Amino acid sequence: MSRKFFVGGNWKLNGDKKSLGELMQTLNAATVDPNVEVVCGAPSIYLDFVRSKLDAKFGVAAQNCYKVAKGAFTGEISPAMIKDCGVNWVILGHSERRHVFGESDELIGQKTAHALESGLGVIACIGEKLDEREGGITEKVVFAQTKFIADNVKDWSKVVLAYEPVWAIGTGKTASPQQAQEVHEKLRQWLKTNVSEAVANSVRIIYGGSVTGATCKELGSQKDVDGFLVGGASLKPEFVEIINAKV
């Protein structure tokens, strides 16, 4: 079955109304491949602003959310609030949430369950650190992370899995297309064994980790790479080149 190519831009803690406004003008004016689903992950304080300025052909994502709809959780935002801004996606489990902010697999699973129950699509991130890859436990790590997510998913049509080797995020090091394909293929096999063959064939597994205009075409040509989660390059005009990697 053919899986619609998916390109997410994760703006992280970057931009202001001026620079993001200019970026959105560039995106709105660009000719982009209509066969690609594009979602931009904006800082939560700008979700309303971005949704109002970005052309409707682009989706918008929050970069995080909490596991309940409301309550005494200072500083958090909920899927209900995200949806109230007209935003339909959230990024969960990004390595920076895991390793900078100490979020556990269990918490990420709980957030995933609540976001999906609330009607958001989830870009669920997994990936190993450099010492884990060098120690030969990449599969063990990413399968364990995936299990915590999978145990909390009822409807896989709303989930995109993002494989992001932590050693390649923001370092300029990219996993080779072969390294990416190898992990994506093993993840698909894990889904086939532990969830179902139908889910394994239909769920999109995207790659993140220093994706650029220069690396995107070869990465995107791999059989099990269904798109990208793009960091720094998503704030630049070259994001359009990455969206059009399959053209």
Side-chain angles (χ1 to χ4, degrees):
M1 115 169 237
S2 73
R3 298 180 291 268
K4 187 170 188 178
F5 208 71
F6 185 102
V7 177
N10 180 9
W11 297 349
K12 305 191 181 182
L13 182 62
N14 290 298
D16 51 29
K17 284 189 173 177
K18 181 174 183 292
S19 65
L20 296 177
E22 288 165 0
L23 175 64
M24 289 188 283
Q25 280 182 322
T26 301
L27 291 174
N28 290 344
T31 305
V32 294
D33 183 346
N35 301 312
V36 175
E37 185 168 5
V38 182
V39 174
C40 294
S44 60
I45 200 164
Y46 294 136
L47 285 173
D48 237 341
F49 169 69
V50 169
R51 185 61 286 173
S52 68
K53 299 285 186 201
L54 201 55
D55 194 287
K57 67 176 176 275
F58 300 112
V60 178
Q63 298 174 15
N64 190 26
C65 68
Y66 199 50
K67 63 180 180 180
V68 295
K70 62 181 186 190
F73 302 102
T74 302
E76 293 291 330
I77 62 169
S78 70
M81 292 170 176
I82 293 166
K83 288 197 75 177
D84 197 33
C85 291
V87 170
N88 294 318
W89 287 91
V90 64
I91 300 169
L92 291 174
H94 192 277
S95 67
E96 288 147 10
R97 299 302 319 167
R98 293 175 186 270
H99 303 305
V100 181
F101 298 100
E103 292 190 7
S104 66
D105 285 331
E106 185 181 19
L107 176 61
I108 291 158
Q110 292 165 342
K111 289 180 175 196
T112 300
H114 180 61
L116 291 169
E117 282 159 12
S118 306
L120 287 179
V122 172
I123 301 165
C125 304
I126 55 178
E128 82 284 7
K129 294 186 291 194
L130 184 59
D131 60 335
E132 292 165 339
R133 174 163 281 269
E134 288 174 344
I137 57 167
T138 293
E139 282 172 55
K140 183 181 166 197
V141 171
V142 297
F143 290 169
Q145 291 170 339
T146 305
K147 184 177 188 328
F148 272 95
I149 292 160
D151 287 347
N152 286 284
V153 175
K154 294 187 181 80
D155 178 6
W156 281 91
S157 69
K158 305 279 289 199
V159 178
V160 172
L161 265 186
Y163 168 60
E164 296 200 298
V166 182
W167 47 271
I169 298 175
T171 59
K173 287 182 185 170
T174 312
S176 70
Q178 295 72 29
Q179 283 173 317
Q181 166 59 23
E182 184 186 0
V183 177
H184 284 228
E185 188 177 358
K186 285 175 175 166
L187 279 167
R188 213 174 288 290
Q189 192 60 48
W190 186 93
L191 289 167
K192 185 176 171 182
T193 305
N194 294 279
V195 182
S196 74
E197 187 164 10
V199 165
N201 290 336
S202 62
V203 78
R204 291 171 292 183
I205 306 175
I206 64 176
Y207 170 79
S210 300
V211 177
T212 64
T215 59
C216 64
K217 276 205 175 338
E218 203 187 344
L219 281 164
S221 69
Q222 303 300 309
K223 182 167 77 79
D224 290 294
V225 175
D226 302 313
F228 312 113
L229 187 56
V230 185
S234 68
L235 292 155
K236 302 171 187 167
E238 80 179 283
F239 188 50
V240 176
E241 283 176 61
I242 297 170
I243 295 168
N244 292 332
K246 300 289 269 188
V247 176

